[in-house]
Amino acid sequence: MPHSLASHDAASDADLPVRIAALYQFTPMADPVALRGVLERECVAHGVRGTLLLAAEGINGTIAGSDAGIGHVLSHIRALPGCADLDVKETRAASLPFHRMKVRLKREIVTMGVPGIDPRHDAGHYVEAAQWNDLISDPDTIVIDTRNDYEVAVGTFAGAINPRTRTFREFPDWFRARRAELLSQGRAPKIAMFCTGGIRCEKATAFVRAEGIDNVFHLRGGILKYLETVPRAQSLWEGECFVFDQRVTVTHDLERGTHELCHACRMPVSVADQASPHYVPGVSCPACHDRRDATRRARYAERERQTRLAAARGQSHLGAMPRRDAAPSGDAPGPDTDAGKGCGGHG
């Protein structure tokens, strides 16, 4: 059954009629080109919007629509070879977060750029959320956050190493450069890695095992599963978790966090940064203000004005959400990648 990111009842379903499904599956795709048209037609026929990525290694994406529409598309995907156990995380929204439906062909469904990595067979050992604390509290465990720098800045596990990568593609070079240092204590450490929803960890652990290290673990279901199931009093998580949907960040029990999203650069904006004179909703934030000239800020301001006018008319403004300037193409679908454009996704 799909895993829900937020509990809801019939009353809240009426208020939040849109069902959003973030999904992925590593499985051989014999003919992604042929599948592309089939999936696109299925989604459009059932009023589903969003983006799906197809590659020889599998499928990844985020889609939104009615309960019936999403149910039909998920059933269709699960019927594909190797997709019966499709990993799906769901949430709900008041309106469709996507303007159109796109099915794209990619070299990888999560971009690492290292050929020959096969998470289906080579991924590390899964660790359930209930056992994660014991693993990362072991002094012989090296804990690595495989997410990007802007995500780690919002929150991470206590004591985790931050690779300070801007994209997932940078992770292999970082690991190879740090490998000797990580293993320099003359022991055979355990390496525990985590990410938002699980997809990056599957590939990162497969990569590390391909580098000759077998004692590798990763958090099943990612940070989201941990925050949903581990009591706050027992939690080793510090801060909030950046998510690729309209909530921006979440805390324990997957409650919405305190960050907003800068619609100019699509970076999370903390409460402190929201008080900065450089934070103008839809125009700039402290992270991007100095990278924008007056002409571009004026263009963003006009776009924000048009977005607000469209919202007042009950319409969507197609230019409301630009691409992130330095799009981390190796991430899960989300606001900074091809497959998200502002809502949902695995990380």
Side-chain angles (χ1 to χ4, degrees), residues 256-315:
R256 182 166 182 165
T258 61
H259 288 67
E260 296 293 337
L261 191 70
C262 175
H263 289 176
C265 69
R266 313 192 81 172
M267 289 288 185
V269 186
S270 68
V271 171
D273 284 342
Q274 290 168 39
S276 166
H278 290 164
Y279 178 58
V280 180
V283 178
S284 67
C285 72
C288 69
H289 180 272
D290 293 340
R291 303 201 309 268
R292 304 289 195 277
D293 58 24
T295 300
R296 184 177 293 185
R297 286 197 293 270
R299 188 166 70 247
Y300 287 174
E302 176 59 21
R303 182 196 64 218
E304 181 70 9
R305 188 179 75 85
Q306 293 296 335
T307 299
R308 293 181 183 278
L309 289 174
R313 297 191 299 268
Q315 300 172 338

Side-chain angles (χ1 to χ4, degrees), residues 132-207:
W132 184 249
N133 283 358
D134 291 338
L135 175 64
I136 67 174
S137 297
D138 185 334
D140 285 335
T141 300
I142 295 171
V143 186
I144 302 174
D145 193 330
T146 65
R147 300 171 305 150
N148 297 325
D149 50 8
Y150 67 94
E151 297 172 83
V152 181
V154 170
T156 191
F157 283 106
I161 295 172
N162 176 9
R164 302 188 184 282
T165 52
R166 294 182 65 204
T167 76
F168 188 54
R169 184 186 288 271
E170 296 176 6
F171 181 81
D173 286 343
W174 173 85
F175 183 83
R176 286 166 175 162
R178 291 287 302 277
R179 174 177 176 154
E181 178 184 344
L182 292 172
L183 305 180
S184 63
Q185 298 180 22
R187 53 185 168 83
K190 291 173 286 190
I191 294 180
M193 294 190 280
F194 62 92
C195 57
T196 308
I199 186 170
R200 280 178 280 186
C201 290
E202 286 201 36
K203 207 157 193 179
T205 57
F207 165 76

Side-chain angles (χ1 to χ4, degrees), residues 104-150:
R104 293 181 170 176
L105 300 177
K106 307 287 282 186
R107 289 189 179 90
E108 302 175 70
I109 59 171
V110 55
T111 304
M112 175 176 274
V114 178
I117 301 300
D118 188 356
R120 293 176 302 129
H121 303 297
D122 300 330
H125 307 288
Y126 285 105
V127 178
E128 302 295 337
Q131 285 75 52
W132 184 249
N133 283 358
D134 291 338
L135 175 64
I136 67 174
S137 297
D138 185 334
D140 285 335
T141 300
I142 295 171
V143 186
I144 302 174
D145 193 330
T146 65
R147 300 171 305 150
N148 297 325
D149 50 8
Y150 67 94

Side-chain angles (χ1 to χ4, degrees), residues 43-74:
C43 290
V44 171
H46 291 87
V48 171
R49 300 179 187 177
T51 301
L52 294 173
L53 304 182
L54 295 176
E57 68 178 4
I59 184 170
N60 184 16
T62 303
I63 52 176
S66 66
D67 285 315
I70 293 296
H72 180 92
V73 173
L74 290 180

